[in-house]
Amino acid sequence: MDTLKNVVVIDGQGGRLGRLLVEKIRTDGPACHIRAIGTNSLATSAMLKAGPDEAATGENPVIVACRDADVIMGPIGILSADALLGEITPAMAAAVGRSPADKILLPVNMCGTRVVGVSAMTFSELTTAAVAELSRLLADI
């Protein structure tokens, strides 16, 4: 029997992007276990409304979730210390970067990080593309 892949969605600020990711995974994505981790309680609360299997808030949950994730999803800033207006701690960024999980990062050109070579997309378009990539990735794992 196949076990569900562990997908960790990390978001901060108001959690809008994370909520959209969880919603689209649930409605259009592959079957998987979704763990939503907010860098603050507002982000976690927003993602909880989308129906993840588990949710938690803060630095230590990010670190712990990255250990056994199959896939990590979120804005590209989760790889940069002090991103998301300082909500991403150096330990969080290191945990994401060092995780053996595949990473699907959305190029949100905010907080001083610009990604060139990608077209400007709305959060809805970004999350649709991210869930399509998750479906392709989990089909190959």
Side-chain angles (χ1 to χ4, degrees), residues 14-37:
R16 181 172 166 233
L17 182 61
R19 186 191 83 235
L20 287 171
L21 275 170
V22 173
E23 285 174 356
K24 288 195 187 258
I25 294 167
R26 283 283 181 240
T27 59
D28 302 328
C32 57
H33 180 91
I34 303 171
R35 185 176 294 160
I37 310 294

Side-chain angles (χ1 to χ4, degrees), residues 42-64:
L42 185 61
T44 305
S45 179
M47 289 188 284
L48 274 168
K49 293 175 184 171
D53 296 294
E54 298 176 300
T57 303
E59 180 181 75
N60 202 56
V62 168
I63 293 167
V64 171

